[in-house]
Amino acid sequence: MSNRFVDQGLRAPVNVTWEVTLACNLRCRHCLSSSGIAAPNELTTAEALDLVEQFSRAGVFQINFGGGEPFIRPDFPQILDACHQRGIMTCISTNGTLLDQTLVERLAKSRLVAIQVSMDGADRKSCDLLRGDGTYETALKAVALLAKSSIPTSINTVLTAANAADIPELHNLARTLGVSLRVSRFRPSGRGAENWEELRPTPRQLLDFSQWLTASGDVRTGDSFFSLTSQERQGLGLNLCGAAKLTCCVGPEGKFYPCAFLQQDDFLAGSIREQSLQQIWDESPMYESFRRLRIHSCEECQRFDQCHGGCPAVAWHLKGRIDGGDPECLENCVTMADA
């Protein structure tokens, strides 16, 4: 990776996480954004469509839609259509409760959409513990419905202390259904911060997951878990935090942040209601600070070339600074597990 890329980022983000609404019909205990009620001043349809046009002009390749529950927003299909008309790939994170045959058929008309359904356990007990009563059966039906369509589909689960033992079984379930498995890292943001001590994976669980991940081969993680796993998987994912370098996050009110786990005023990069996307990307002091970020305390570590200090968001939530190194890196896990 060139110094120019690290120092300056790309001319525009390759992909963007867009939390289109905070409204959600669930109250998951590990939610990164404490979603439930819509934000007070979410983007209007006209503002959202203008933002899609700006993404298109900038050359954004993919938008990852989340929330909240994206399908709660009445104009979400219109936003998706605008993306697809401009050739922008879309990936939708959903709890699956609002998917039906009609909606799936509508979505399947585009070859530019993928869907990941959240399911945080391989059975009713473990999933419903985190997501609420009845969520397992609902998600299972949604995945089965999607699996019959042409839409690339995955089960997305967040690794927690409550479901760590379920991951291999969940992997088998995904294979049986004909979809893939994506495992996300649990971070102490949003409602997840309130339940961090209870749901945080132990160092031993993280190490065991890393070993299993290496052996499984076809499981995706989609975030810096790649950089925390062993050498065999290094080539499968970016080994450096991409926030403000090749990706960023926009919240429901059009505010830009480095990533979805740092949607707080301390990390506000700008607002689409005050500046253009390109101005925010090119001129934001916050984004510039992330492009210059170096985790010097980790440079002597044998894993530094694999992770470059890990996830700044976890470092900030747990240590109060983004340059302090990831407290859950595997080197720390080994030390803590052996203590």
Side-chain angles (χ1 to χ4, degrees), residues 178-224:
V179 301
S180 61
L181 176 66
R182 179 179 183 271
V183 181
S184 297
R185 189 173 176 189
F186 180 41
R187 291 174 171 86
S189 66
R191 198 175 292 118
E194 301 171 17
N195 298 294
W196 175 249
E197 292 304 324
E198 178 186 354
L199 298 178
R200 178 183 189 176
T202 66
R204 173 49 55 193
Q205 286 174 322
L206 290 172
L207 288 170
D208 289 346
F209 173 74
S210 172
Q211 294 169 0
W212 177 84
L213 190 62
T214 299
S216 68
D218 62 343
V219 175
R220 296 178 295 120
T221 65
D223 57 30
S224 64

Side-chain angles (χ1 to χ4, degrees), residues 158 183-187 223-225 228 261 311 314 326 328:
V158 177
V183 181
S184 297
R185 189 173 176 189
F186 180 41
R187 291 174 171 86
D223 57 30
S224 64
F225 241 137
L228 300 181
F261 299 98
C311 176
V314 174
D326 193 326
E328 290 190 328

Side-chain angles (χ1 to χ4, degrees), residues 80-141:
L80 285 176
D81 287 344
C83 292
H84 299 157
Q85 289 164 7
R86 290 161 177 78
I88 300 174
M89 295 289 298
T90 60
C91 180
I92 307 165
S93 295
T94 175
N95 59 36
T97 58
L98 302 179
L99 289 174
D100 58 24
Q101 185 67 44
T102 300
L103 180 55
V104 169
E105 290 176 356
R106 185 186 192 284
L107 294 169
K109 292 178 181 179
S110 173
R111 286 182 284 182
L112 298 176
V113 63
I115 296 181
Q116 53 188 36
V117 179
S118 296
M119 182 185 293
D120 289 295
D123 56 33
R124 182 184 297 105
K125 181 179 179 181
S126 57
C127 185
D128 289 8
L129 175 68
L130 293 170
R131 307 188 63 81
D133 291 344
T135 54
Y136 175 78
E137 294 295 341
T138 301
L140 195 61
K141 290 178 182 178

